[in-house]
Each structure stands twice: as C-alpha cells, then as structure tokens.
Amino acid sequence: MPILFLNFAYCYLECYRMKYLKPLIFTLVLLFAFSINIDAQQHLKFMGLPLTGTIDNFQAKLAAKGIYPDRYTNKTTPFGVRCFNGRFTGKQCTFFVYYTNTKKVYRAKAVYNDENEDLVDQFYNSTKEMLQTKYALENSENDTYQNYPAFNVYVTNNEGTSNLGTINLYKTKYNNPYGRDSYSVHVDYTDYINGIDHDSENFDDL
C-alpha cells in the first residue's frame, strides 16, 4: 500500500510539473522560431525604408519623405515599375520603384540627370564616398558599366550572417537626337529575398 501511494504521488507530481512545463517549452520554441523568422525576413533599406510590402504602402511611405508619383510618366509606365520625383541626398532626382506580379516591392533606385557631365560626375563621386562610409564594413567592389566607372556594395545583416541585398552605383549617357547629350547617375537598391521572388515569377513563365 505505501509503495502504491508513493507511485501515485509521484505520477501526480509529474503530471503537475508537465502541466506547466509543456506550455513553457512550447513558448520557448515559439520564441526561437519567431527570432529565426525575424532574422530571415530582414530587408535591404532604401532611404530608411525596407524594400518590402506592397507598392501602394511603399508609395505612402515615400510621400511622407516628400517623394511623390510622377503622374504624367506613370501613364505610360508598364506594370512592375512606378515613377516618382523628389530629393535624394539633396539633389532633385527621379525615382523608380519595382514590384512583383503580386505588387510586392523588391527594388528601388534614385536617378540624377543633367546635361553637365561635370555635375553628374560630382554626384557620382560624392555618393560613392557616402556609400563607402556608411557601408565600410560590407564587401564592395569597383566595376564598370557601359564603359563608365561603377561601384557595388553587398549588404548583410548586423551579424554578417545573411545577405540583405545589393546597392549598385553607375553612370549612363543618353544620346539625344537633337545633339544635346545628357548623363545620369543611378543609385540602385535590390532586396535579396524579394528579388528572388521576382526572379521566380519570371522562371514560372518559362
């Protein structure tokens, strides 16, 4: 009888302990999974805004920074890109925001344009210096694009354990048929995760 009582008491205490232990373990598992998910869902930021969410939500966030849609240009712009006007690092620029078939933002760039090549080169050099300063700990490389210098930055998370995306700085020339050429500097941000989603959509069409 005493042994039977002890066994019963032990089973009761074990069940009582498990009653509170199981929820605790479940909570810890959820927190761990949540922390992993948060890390996996970090995104590259353009002007402090994560390159994710719908294009309409992203447009509202740009508006809060004084960047508004170019209604005239957007009338002829194809699905997948939306154009804006505003200031970027103190310069008046045209903005292009790219989104997937599900309207999820994955890329954005600011483009500075002028017929004065010297001014364009000054903007390129100052932007490159700022990128080198802000992303000094990230991998970067000098490159070329259309025979002009280019600069690429490969951005990772704070721990350096996952890729957030790339920033491409490059210059282009537009040959105006009327003889007045213009030059542009592109500051182009592409999010890694949502960029893959966009590529997957294209692959699905093949």
Side-chain angles (χ1 to χ4, degrees):
M1 188 71 173
I3 295 176
L4 182 62
F5 176 78
L6 289 175
N7 287 338
F8 174 79
Y10 175 79
C11 291
Y12 177 82
L13 290 174
E14 186 67 14
C15 292
Y16 183 83
R17 182 176 67 86
M18 292 303 295
K19 174 183 176 182
Y20 294 97
L21 185 59
K22 285 182 179 179
L24 178 61
I25 293 174
F26 181 70
T27 301
L28 291 174
V29 169
L30 282 180
L31 288 174
F32 180 71
F34 180 75
S35 66
I36 291 177
N37 185 60
I38 288 295
D39 181 68
Q41 294 301 315
Q42 290 185 57
H43 295 276
L44 183 67
K45 292 182 179 181
F46 175 76
M47 298 189 71
L49 304 175
L51 287 171
T52 192
T54 67
I55 179 62
D56 292 331
N57 288 339
F58 199 81
Q59 177 175 314
K61 293 176 182 179
L62 286 178
K65 292 179 173 289
I67 299 169
Y68 301 101
D70 185 332
R71 300 190 184 280
Y72 177 78
T73 304
N74 282 324
K75 289 180 180 179
T76 57
T77 301
F79 182 89
V81 59
R82 193 171 294 180
C83 303
F84 301 81
N85 292 311
R87 300 183 72 82
F88 180 83
T89 65
K91 296 289 187 181
Q92 188 67 26
C93 291
T94 302
F95 296 78
F96 300 87
V97 179
Y98 301 82
Y99 53 93
T100 66
N101 292 338
T102 58
K103 294 190 173 183
K104 181 166 57 179
V105 170
Y106 69 93
R107 176 185 172 198
K109 70 175 178 177
V111 181
Y112 173 70
N113 179 270
D114 203 290
E115 293 179 356
N116 188 325
E117 189 174 9
D118 289 337
L119 292 178
V120 170
D121 288 341
Q122 289 175 21
F123 180 80
Y124 176 91
N125 291 329
S126 64
T127 303
K128 180 180 178 180
E129 289 177 3
M130 286 187 286
L131 288 173
Q132 287 175 317
T133 300
K134 181 173 182 178
Y135 298 100
L137 300 179
E138 305 288 3
N139 290 327
S140 62
E141 64 176 357
N142 290 302
D143 201 356
T144 58
Y145 184 81
Q146 295 185 358
N147 296 321
Y148 290 114
F151 181 68
N152 305 318
V153 182
Y154 305 95
V155 184
T156 59
N157 63 356
N158 293 334
E159 295 76 26
T161 56
S162 62
N163 183 16
L164 296 185
T166 58
I167 303 172
N168 304 112
L169 175 68
Y170 54 97
K171 174 183 172 182
T172 58
K173 178 181 180 179
Y174 173 67
N175 299 113
N176 192 304
Y178 301 102
R180 300 183 64 178
D181 296 335
S182 63
Y183 303 86
S184 299
V185 172
H186 306 246
V187 193
D188 197 345
Y189 291 63
T190 303
D191 181 71
Y192 178 72
I193 295 174
N194 292 339
I196 290 177
D197 288 345
H198 172 255
D199 292 339
S200 296
E201 289 181 348
N202 290 336
F203 284 133
D204 289 342
D205 292 340
L206 299 177

